[in-house]
Amino acid sequence: MYNLLDEAWQPALVAADGETERAGVLRLVAEAHRYADLLVETPTQRPALYRQLLLPFVLDALHELLPRDAEAWAALFRRGRFTERQTERLLGYGEEHRARFGLFDTVHPFAQVPGLHTAKGETKSATALVATAAQGNNVPLFSSRTDGDELRLDPGEAARWLLHTHCWDTGAIKTGAVGDRQAKQGKTTGNPVGPLGSLGVVMPRGRTLFETLLLNLPFKKRVLPEDAPQWRCADITHRRCADGTAHRPCAATPAWQQRPATGLLDLWTWQSRRALLLPERDGDGGLYVARVVLAGGDRLELTPDDEPHTAWVIDTRTTAHHRRRPTTGRAGTEPAPGEGPASGAADGAALKRPLRHVTGRAGWRGLNALLAFAHAPEVPDPSARSAGRRHETTQLLMTLAEARDELDPEYPLRLDLTGMTYGTKLGHVEDSFHDEVPLPLAALRYDGPVRAALLEAVLHAEELAGAVNRLDGHLRRAAGAEPVPPLAWQQPGERLLALLGPLVLALLRDLRHVGEDEEACDTRLTHWEGAARWAAWQVAEELLGTAVPGVVSGRRVQLNNGSEQMFRLSTAEAAFRRALGGILRRLPQPSTIRS
């Protein structure tokens, strides 16, 4: 009943005419070249659909037929669609595992536990799945729905929000299901948020669904024999049980464990919750979901080093006591010759953890991390809160960098950035993050002029914001007030960064057309600096023009170090001009001084 392989449940945008079409999984993957993108209710659903369903379906079906090196990968990418043999295998894989994709199947409900129930038979509203719906402590601002309103999800919506829950669900206390031996007094405590909730998700996207799938399937991956997506975990478990060997738990039971992922397929389809959709029929006989059972599920022991959809921050000052637990290797990959243990596995190593997006901060401001390659020199990040840290880009971007020369240099690659912020006790969603950054392929060359130009522009944008903030602080002290605290959203530097955002995005798109031409990069960067100086002066003029009369004569202020300094309008403007001259060095500096 309602098989996700065939039912037209997922809306997608047709590449040829821009029309919306609904399709099942088999059509989406077999005809992936026909679709431009998936259509979702909220941006955080997109990585959930790819990771929990489409990517593991393709990887598990085609892992023996997928390219193994950059040249073969690029050839398939340029072809623009799966080969006939690959398409036949995708369809055959669907038929082989058809019984595991029934959304409301009584024996193998997809991504659920059959018969899941609590000791008292309680159920929850479908709002327990919907991150944007009002429920308990999770009440979105301006929500028109209350906790008591019934929410009816059609089967497609229920499937999307179910996969979203496995990736992004809130943490803390969860219902204890019958059969969960670790539940106490009808609940489990200490549940972490969904595995994507601890990441700043970075997902490359192409012009078609096919290209996006390939961009997220690194050609260096090898599927291990014990690795499998959640819909095959029961088969793997039973087979290994017969041999008497250790096995991972089956996600189709109420029992759960804290454990590491066995490989990429396991990681992508991680069942962080035990769930059951309870379908009903309306007056016309149509299916809908208004009630669910939702309990705690598997807990990821640590984020593996080969997690492909996140960049990393490496803290070189962390003591051994706070380091990550050691890993047994990079699941699903072939280690490089001489490769040692994972980062942070031994004393003397640095702590490596996923880099999360900062809510309210534009995605382009994190380009220094997204373009941090192993052999590239570290770039200063003036927006960082502390020193002693360096960054490392995502596995997918490192892999794509190897195939860059095989692709059209003007290819319109996009990076889809998503994240979630939770409350202090993890029991509610506080905010979500989404942004899209165009990225020239030439920027993936660690020693190329395009990467250098982009990082210089981002660095200068942050430095200009700092100069504007210092100007504001100088004028405030001259008027007898205290400066705005650091990192506060009221700082005028945030207004400047908002003005610079469209200019940086335009630079990113423009640099797609310069290739490796260093002179063309310099020309475009000089034009960007001119626009950036105009934006900086636009904000500075507002501050100077609205200054109270007392700031002209100024005020002598005693600083925290005991010294005294004179603050007045003329010295504030002069310092700002010097700062601009030191940052935007490609431009001729004006000699006029404000009277």
Side-chain angles (χ1 to χ4, degrees), residues 291-355:
R291 309 296 299 178
V292 301
V293 182
L294 186 63
D298 293 335
R299 302 181 182 184
L300 192 61
E301 196 168 82
L302 52 82
T303 302
D305 286 351
D306 64 343
E307 163 59 62
H309 286 114
T310 188
W312 303 86
V313 57
I314 302 172
D315 194 336
T316 58
R317 304 176 307 166
T318 306
T319 62
H321 176 71
H322 294 99
R323 291 195 177 104
R324 300 174 59 204
R325 297 178 60 181
T327 61
T328 56
R330 298 181 177 228
T333 64
E334 296 179 346
E339 184 180 20
S343 298
D347 289 351
L351 172 69
K352 179 178 178 180
R353 56 184 173 80
L355 178 64

Side-chain angles (χ1 to χ4, degrees), residues 109 283 310 379 570:
T310 188
V379 178
S570 59

Side-chain angles (χ1 to χ4, degrees), residues 253-289:
T253 68
W256 56 269
Q257 288 186 6
Q258 179 169 327
R259 60 182 181 85
T262 58
L264 188 56
L265 294 170
D266 183 24
L267 178 65
W268 274 345
T269 60
W270 191 263
Q271 301 292 280
S272 68
R273 298 295 177 260
R274 298 295 189 254
L276 181 63
L277 305 177
L278 302 175
E280 303 176 51
R281 292 193 181 274
D282 57 25
D284 298 326
L287 284 168
Y288 70 89
V289 174

Side-chain angles (χ1 to χ4, degrees), residues 20 53 68 71 89 102 146 163 171 176 182 221 260 265 281 294 344 370 390 421 439 467 471 483 493 496 538 571:
T20 299
L53 185 54
R68 297 299 178 94
E71 186 177 356
R89 178 57 190 143
T146 68
L163 301 182
Q182 301 185 72
K221 289 295 177 187
L265 294 170
R281 292 193 181 274
L294 186 63
L370 296 177
R390 60 186 178 89
T421 303
L439 187 67
L471 172 64
L496 174 58
Q538 185 177 353
T571 55

